[in-house]
Amino acid sequence: QVQLVESGGGSVQAGGSLRLSCEASGITEYFYCLYWFRRAPGQEREGVAGIEQGARTIYSDSVKGRFTISHGDDKKIHYLSMYNLKPEDTGMYYCAIDQGYGCYYWALDKPASRYHWGQGTSVAVSS
């Protein structure tokens, strides 16, 4: 059974940094994409980044150049390093995994129903 557990959220001032972690277990496929999504209060869910097991990455335009997605050597923990945070980055951040598929830009807008999701970690950026 796939399980994803996020951590690392918190409150920071604009311009600050945070690193989110997503610990994954139960992954059965070698090939996968691990995405990070976020949902701001009152807004639609938005995909921000994805990483394949081979370290190919994708980013949304809203975070490109400020966020970095990565994973540890054992690929059990995936990170979203966030720099120069802005108030509009506030929201609940979720990791999701799509086993057997690569990362797709269209998925950042419309994630497939087959993904496994974590419970989320909250990020608040004050101005």
PDB file of all heavy atoms in Angstrom, residues 41-67:
ATOM      1  N   PRO A  41      -6.264  28.936   0.076  1.00  0.00           N
ATOM      2  CA  PRO A  41      -7.628  29.097   0.576  1.00  0.00           C
ATOM      3  C   PRO A  41      -8.554  29.668  -0.498  1.00  0.00           C
ATOM      4  O   PRO A  41      -8.252  30.703  -1.103  1.00  0.00           O
ATOM      5  CB  PRO A  41      -7.463  30.068   1.740  1.00  0.00           C
ATOM      6  CG  PRO A  41      -6.057  29.884   2.194  1.00  0.00           C
ATOM      7  CD  PRO A  41      -5.268  29.586   0.961  1.00  0.00           C
ATOM      8  N   GLY A  42      -9.639  28.979  -0.749  1.00  0.00           N
ATOM      9  CA  GLY A  42     -10.629  29.454  -1.703  1.00  0.00           C
ATOM     10  C   GLY A  42     -10.251  29.313  -3.161  1.00  0.00           C
ATOM     11  O   GLY A  42     -10.948  29.830  -4.038  1.00  0.00           O
ATOM     12  N   GLN A  43      -9.160  28.609  -3.423  1.00  0.00           N
ATOM     13  CA  GLN A  43      -8.715  28.472  -4.812  1.00  0.00           C
ATOM     14  C   GLN A  43      -8.629  27.006  -5.214  1.00  0.00           C
ATOM     15  O   GLN A  43      -8.700  26.102  -4.388  1.00  0.00           O
ATOM     16  CB  GLN A  43      -7.359  29.151  -4.998  1.00  0.00           C
ATOM     17  CG  GLN A  43      -7.404  30.658  -4.768  1.00  0.00           C
ATOM     18  CD  GLN A  43      -6.130  31.350  -5.188  1.00  0.00           C
ATOM     19  OE1 GLN A  43      -5.354  30.814  -5.982  1.00  0.00           O
ATOM     20  NE2 GLN A  43      -5.922  32.547  -4.684  1.00  0.00           N
ATOM     21  N   GLU A  44      -8.473  26.800  -6.521  1.00  0.00           N
ATOM     22  CA  GLU A  44      -8.335  25.451  -7.052  1.00  0.00           C
ATOM     23  C   GLU A  44      -6.951  24.889  -6.731  1.00  0.00           C
ATOM     24  O   GLU A  44      -5.986  25.625  -6.522  1.00  0.00           O
ATOM     25  CB  GLU A  44      -8.528  25.475  -8.567  1.00  0.00           C
ATOM     26  CG  GLU A  44      -9.920  25.891  -9.032  1.00  0.00           C
ATOM     27  CD  GLU A  44     -10.964  24.856  -8.667  1.00  0.00           C
ATOM     28  OE1 GLU A  44     -10.660  23.654  -8.786  1.00  0.00           O
ATOM     29  OE2 GLU A  44     -12.071  25.253  -8.249  1.00  0.00           O
ATOM     30  N   ARG A  45      -6.885  23.575  -6.696  1.00  0.00           N
ATOM     31  CA  ARG A  45      -5.605  22.913  -6.517  1.00  0.00           C
ATOM     32  C   ARG A  45      -4.703  23.207  -7.709  1.00  0.00           C
ATOM     33  O   ARG A  45      -5.149  23.229  -8.856  1.00  0.00           O
ATOM     34  CB  ARG A  45      -5.833  21.411  -6.373  1.00  0.00           C
ATOM     35  CG  ARG A  45      -4.601  20.586  -6.155  1.00  0.00           C
ATOM     36  CD  ARG A  45      -4.972  19.144  -5.891  1.00  0.00           C
ATOM     37  NE  ARG A  45      -5.914  18.649  -6.872  1.00  0.00           N
ATOM     38  CZ  ARG A  45      -6.604  17.520  -6.744  1.00  0.00           C
ATOM     39  NH1 ARG A  45      -6.461  16.790  -5.642  1.00  0.00           N
ATOM     40  NH2 ARG A  45      -7.427  17.127  -7.684  1.00  0.00           N
ATOM     41  N   GLU A  46      -3.426  23.404  -7.424  1.00  0.00           N
ATOM     42  CA  GLU A  46      -2.447  23.769  -8.458  1.00  0.00           C
ATOM     43  C   GLU A  46      -1.212  22.897  -8.317  1.00  0.00           C
ATOM     44  O   GLU A  46      -0.655  22.780  -7.232  1.00  0.00           O
ATOM     45  CB  GLU A  46      -2.059  25.248  -8.283  1.00  0.00           C
ATOM     46  CG  GLU A  46      -0.910  25.709  -9.159  1.00  0.00           C
ATOM     47  CD  GLU A  46      -0.345  27.057  -8.730  1.00  0.00           C
ATOM     48  OE1 GLU A  46      -0.632  27.497  -7.607  1.00  0.00           O
ATOM     49  OE2 GLU A  46       0.385  27.676  -9.527  1.00  0.00           O
ATOM     50  N   GLY A  47      -0.787  22.292  -9.400  1.00  0.00           N
ATOM     51  CA  GLY A  47       0.452  21.543  -9.387  1.00  0.00           C
ATOM     52  C   GLY A  47       1.618  22.493  -9.530  1.00  0.00           C
ATOM     53  O   GLY A  47       1.557  23.444 -10.314  1.00  0.00           O
ATOM     54  N   VAL A  48       2.678  22.264  -8.748  1.00  0.00           N
ATOM     55  CA  VAL A  48       3.823  23.168  -8.823  1.00  0.00           C
ATOM     56  C   VAL A  48       5.091  22.504  -9.346  1.00  0.00           C
ATOM     57  O   VAL A  48       5.938  23.180  -9.930  1.00  0.00           O
ATOM     58  CB  VAL A  48       4.102  23.846  -7.460  1.00  0.00           C
ATOM     59  CG1 VAL A  48       2.923  24.701  -7.021  1.00  0.00           C
ATOM     60  CG2 VAL A  48       4.435  22.816  -6.390  1.00  0.00           C
ATOM     61  N   ALA A  49       5.264  21.209  -9.124  1.00  0.00           N
ATOM     62  CA  ALA A  49       6.497  20.560  -9.571  1.00  0.00           C
ATOM     63  C   ALA A  49       6.323  19.053  -9.613  1.00  0.00           C
ATOM     64  O   ALA A  49       5.424  18.500  -8.965  1.00  0.00           O
ATOM     65  CB  ALA A  49       7.652  20.918  -8.629  1.00  0.00           C
ATOM     66  N   GLY A  50       7.191  18.402 -10.374  1.00  0.00           N
ATOM     67  CA  GLY A  50       7.196  16.949 -10.431  1.00  0.00           C
ATOM     68  C   GLY A  50       8.603  16.452 -10.675  1.00  0.00           C
ATOM     69  O   GLY A  50       9.419  17.157 -11.299  1.00  0.00           O
ATOM     70  N   ILE A  51       8.905  15.245 -10.175  1.00  0.00           N
ATOM     71  CA  ILE A  51      10.215  14.650 -10.393  1.00  0.00           C
ATOM     72  C   ILE A  51      10.048  13.170 -10.682  1.00  0.00           C
ATOM     73  O   ILE A  51       9.276  12.475 -10.019  1.00  0.00           O
ATOM     74  CB  ILE A  51      11.152  14.883  -9.178  1.00  0.00           C
ATOM     75  CG1 ILE A  51      12.556  14.357  -9.469  1.00  0.00           C
ATOM     76  CG2 ILE A  51      10.579  14.255  -7.908  1.00  0.00           C
ATOM     77  CD1 ILE A  51      13.593  14.804  -8.451  1.00  0.00           C
ATOM     78  N   GLU A  52      10.758  12.686 -11.699  1.00  0.00           N
ATOM     79  CA  GLU A  52      10.751  11.271 -12.026  1.00  0.00           C
ATOM     80  C   GLU A  52      11.860  10.563 -11.247  1.00  0.00           C
ATOM     81  O   GLU A  52      12.761  11.207 -10.706  1.00  0.00           O
ATOM     82  CB  GLU A  52      10.936  11.080 -13.524  1.00  0.00           C
ATOM     83  CG  GLU A  52       9.776  11.639 -14.332  1.00  0.00           C
ATOM     84  CD  GLU A  52      10.007  11.538 -15.829  1.00  0.00           C
ATOM     85  OE1 GLU A  52      11.130  11.190 -16.247  1.00  0.00           O
ATOM     86  OE2 GLU A  52       9.042  11.814 -16.582  1.00  0.00           O
ATOM     87  N   GLN A  53      11.809   9.242 -11.249  1.00  0.00           N
ATOM     88  CA  GLN A  53      12.814   8.503 -10.492  1.00  0.00           C
ATOM     89  C   GLN A  53      14.223   8.760 -11.039  1.00  0.00           C
ATOM     90  O   GLN A  53      15.202   8.671 -10.311  1.00  0.00           O
ATOM     91  CB  GLN A  53      12.490   6.999 -10.501  1.00  0.00           C
ATOM     92  CG  GLN A  53      13.065   6.203 -11.653  1.00  0.00           C
ATOM     93  CD  GLN A  53      12.495   6.624 -12.989  1.00  0.00           C
ATOM     94  OE1 GLN A  53      11.408   7.178 -13.063  1.00  0.00           O
ATOM     95  NE2 GLN A  53      13.242   6.392 -14.053  1.00  0.00           N
ATOM     96  N   GLY A  54      14.308   9.125 -12.300  1.00  0.00           N
ATOM     97  CA  GLY A  54      15.603   9.422 -12.902  1.00  0.00           C
ATOM     98  C   GLY A  54      16.014  10.870 -12.761  1.00  0.00           C
ATOM     99  O   GLY A  54      17.012  11.305 -13.345  1.00  0.00           O
ATOM    100  N   ALA A  55      15.245  11.645 -11.982  1.00  0.00           N
ATOM    101  CA  ALA A  55      15.553  13.030 -11.624  1.00  0.00           C
ATOM    102  C   ALA A  55      15.169  14.054 -12.681  1.00  0.00           C
ATOM    103  O   ALA A  55      15.524  15.219 -12.547  1.00  0.00           O
ATOM    104  CB  ALA A  55      17.012  13.210 -11.225  1.00  0.00           C
ATOM    105  N   ARG A  56      14.465  13.668 -13.738  1.00  0.00           N
ATOM    106  CA  ARG A  56      13.883  14.676 -14.639  1.00  0.00           C
ATOM    107  C   ARG A  56      12.826  15.437 -13.866  1.00  0.00           C
ATOM    108  O   ARG A  56      12.014  14.842 -13.156  1.00  0.00           O
ATOM    109  CB  ARG A  56      13.267  14.023 -15.873  1.00  0.00           C
ATOM    110  CG  ARG A  56      12.489  14.985 -16.760  1.00  0.00           C
ATOM    111  CD  ARG A  56      11.879  14.293 -17.962  1.00  0.00           C
ATOM    112  NE  ARG A  56      10.951  15.187 -18.663  1.00  0.00           N
ATOM    113  CZ  ARG A  56       9.627  15.208 -18.450  1.00  0.00           C
ATOM    114  NH1 ARG A  56       9.083  14.375 -17.582  1.00  0.00           N
ATOM    115  NH2 ARG A  56       8.852  16.059 -19.100  1.00  0.00           N
ATOM    116  N   THR A  57      12.828  16.766 -14.010  1.00  0.00           N
ATOM    117  CA  THR A  57      11.907  17.596 -13.242  1.00  0.00           C
ATOM    118  C   THR A  57      11.067  18.493 -14.139  1.00  0.00           C
ATOM    119  O   THR A  57      11.469  18.820 -15.268  1.00  0.00           O
ATOM    120  CB  THR A  57      12.668  18.493 -12.250  1.00  0.00           C
ATOM    121  OG1 THR A  57      13.589  19.320 -12.975  1.00  0.00           O
ATOM    122  CG2 THR A  57      13.432  17.665 -11.232  1.00  0.00           C
ATOM    123  N   ILE A  58       9.901  18.873 -13.634  1.00  0.00           N
ATOM    124  CA  ILE A  58       9.070  19.874 -14.289  1.00  0.00           C
ATOM    125  C   ILE A  58       8.591  20.859 -13.227  1.00  0.00           C
ATOM    126  O   ILE A  58       8.489  20.496 -12.036  1.00  0.00           O
ATOM    127  CB  ILE A  58       7.856  19.262 -15.026  1.00  0.00           C
ATOM    128  CG1 ILE A  58       6.929  18.525 -14.060  1.00  0.00           C
ATOM    129  CG2 ILE A  58       8.317  18.333 -16.146  1.00  0.00           C
ATOM    130  CD1 ILE A  58       5.608  18.074 -14.692  1.00  0.00           C
ATOM    131  N   TYR A  59       8.308  22.087 -13.641  1.00  0.00           N
ATOM    132  CA  TYR A  59       7.852  23.129 -12.731  1.00  0.00           C
ATOM    133  C   TYR A  59       6.750  23.952 -13.397  1.00  0.00           C
ATOM    134  O   TYR A  59       6.762  24.170 -14.600  1.00  0.00           O
ATOM    135  CB  TYR A  59       8.996  24.073 -12.355  1.00  0.00           C
ATOM    136  CG  TYR A  59      10.111  23.421 -11.577  1.00  0.00           C
ATOM    137  CD1 TYR A  59      11.231  22.907 -12.231  1.00  0.00           C
ATOM    138  CD2 TYR A  59      10.046  23.328 -10.197  1.00  0.00           C
ATOM    139  CE1 TYR A  59      12.255  22.293 -11.518  1.00  0.00           C
ATOM    140  CE2 TYR A  59      11.072  22.724  -9.479  1.00  0.00           C
ATOM    141  CZ  TYR A  59      12.170  22.213 -10.151  1.00  0.00           C
ATOM    142  OH  TYR A  59      13.172  21.615  -9.437  1.00  0.00           O
ATOM    143  N   SER A  60       5.851  24.462 -12.565  1.00  0.00           N
ATOM    144  CA  SER A  60       4.886  25.417 -13.066  1.00  0.00           C
ATOM    145  C   SER A  60       5.570  26.771 -13.216  1.00  0.00           C
ATOM    146  O   SER A  60       6.584  27.052 -12.557  1.00  0.00           O
ATOM    147  CB  SER A  60       3.703  25.538 -12.101  1.00  0.00           C
ATOM    148  OG  SER A  60       4.118  26.143 -10.888  1.00  0.00           O
ATOM    149  N   ASP A  61       5.012  27.612 -14.053  1.00  0.00           N
ATOM    150  CA  ASP A  61       5.608  28.938 -14.259  1.00  0.00           C
ATOM    151  C   ASP A  61       5.594  29.761 -12.981  1.00  0.00           C
ATOM    152  O   ASP A  61       6.459  30.613 -12.784  1.00  0.00           O
ATOM    153  CB  ASP A  61       4.841  29.680 -15.359  1.00  0.00           C
ATOM    154  CG  ASP A  61       5.111  29.102 -16.735  1.00  0.00           C
ATOM    155  OD1 ASP A  61       6.117  28.376 -16.902  1.00  0.00           O
ATOM    156  OD2 ASP A  61       4.297  29.354 -17.641  1.00  0.00           O
ATOM    157  N   SER A  62       4.623  29.524 -12.127  1.00  0.00           N
ATOM    158  CA  SER A  62       4.487  30.334 -10.913  1.00  0.00           C
ATOM    159  C   SER A  62       5.622  30.104  -9.915  1.00  0.00           C
ATOM    160  O   SER A  62       5.845  30.950  -9.039  1.00  0.00           O
ATOM    161  CB  SER A  62       3.143  30.053 -10.242  1.00  0.00           C
ATOM    162  OG  SER A  62       3.054  28.697  -9.856  1.00  0.00           O
ATOM    163  N   VAL A  63       6.317  28.975 -10.012  1.00  0.00           N
ATOM    164  CA  VAL A  63       7.369  28.682  -9.033  1.00  0.00           C
ATOM    165  C   VAL A  63       8.737  28.473  -9.672  1.00  0.00           C
ATOM    166  O   VAL A  63       9.739  28.360  -8.954  1.00  0.00           O
ATOM    167  CB  VAL A  63       7.022  27.443  -8.181  1.00  0.00           C
ATOM    168  CG1 VAL A  63       5.655  27.608  -7.542  1.00  0.00           C
ATOM    169  CG2 VAL A  63       7.106  26.159  -8.984  1.00  0.00           C
ATOM    170  N   LYS A  64       8.787  28.430 -10.982  1.00  0.00           N
ATOM    171  CA  LYS A  64      10.061  28.168 -11.663  1.00  0.00           C
ATOM    172  C   LYS A  64      11.100  29.208 -11.266  1.00  0.00           C
ATOM    173  O   LYS A  64      10.844  30.400 -11.258  1.00  0.00           O
ATOM    174  CB  LYS A  64       9.852  28.184 -13.170  1.00  0.00           C
ATOM    175  CG  LYS A  64      11.011  27.650 -13.978  1.00  0.00           C
ATOM    176  CD  LYS A  64      10.679  27.607 -15.460  1.00  0.00           C
ATOM    177  CE  LYS A  64       9.546  26.670 -15.749  1.00  0.00           C
ATOM    178  NZ  LYS A  64       9.224  26.593 -17.189  1.00  0.00           N
ATOM    179  N   GLY A  65      12.276  28.737 -10.887  1.00  0.00           N
ATOM    180  CA  GLY A  65      13.338  29.628 -10.458  1.00  0.00           C
ATOM    181  C   GLY A  65      13.341  29.912  -8.966  1.00  0.00           C
ATOM    182  O   GLY A  65      14.327  30.445  -8.435  1.00  0.00           O
ATOM    183  N   ARG A  66      12.247  29.570  -8.273  1.00  0.00           N
ATOM    184  CA  ARG A  66      12.178  29.777  -6.821  1.00  0.00           C
ATOM    185  C   ARG A  66      12.082  28.455  -6.053  1.00  0.00           C
ATOM    186  O   ARG A  66      12.527  28.380  -4.909  1.00  0.00           O
ATOM    187  CB  ARG A  66      10.972  30.650  -6.474  1.00  0.00           C
ATOM    188  CG  ARG A  66      10.985  32.024  -7.085  1.00  0.00           C
ATOM    189  CD  ARG A  66       9.875  32.896  -6.506  1.00  0.00           C
ATOM    190  NE  ARG A  66       8.548  32.362  -6.776  1.00  0.00           N
ATOM    191  CZ  ARG A  66       7.687  31.998  -5.844  1.00  0.00           C
ATOM    192  NH1 ARG A  66       7.987  32.120  -4.558  1.00  0.00           N
ATOM    193  NH2 ARG A  66       6.489  31.526  -6.176  1.00  0.00           N
ATOM    194  N   PHE A  67      11.483  27.451  -6.647  1.00  0.00           N
ATOM    195  CA  PHE A  67      11.318  26.158  -5.994  1.00  0.00           C
ATOM    196  C   PHE A  67      12.219  25.130  -6.678  1.00  0.00           C
ATOM    197  O   PHE A  67      12.439  25.182  -7.893  1.00  0.00           O
ATOM    198  CB  PHE A  67       9.869  25.670  -6.089  1.00  0.00           C
ATOM    199  CG  PHE A  67       8.868  26.433  -5.265  1.00  0.00           C
ATOM    200  CD1 PHE A  67       9.180  27.648  -4.675  1.00  0.00           C
ATOM    201  CD2 PHE A  67       7.598  25.916  -5.084  1.00  0.00           C
ATOM    202  CE1 PHE A  67       8.248  28.340  -3.918  1.00  0.00           C
ATOM    203  CE2 PHE A  67       6.645  26.591  -4.328  1.00  0.00           C
ATOM    204  CZ  PHE A  67       6.978  27.805  -3.750  1.00  0.00           C
TER     205      PHE A  67
END
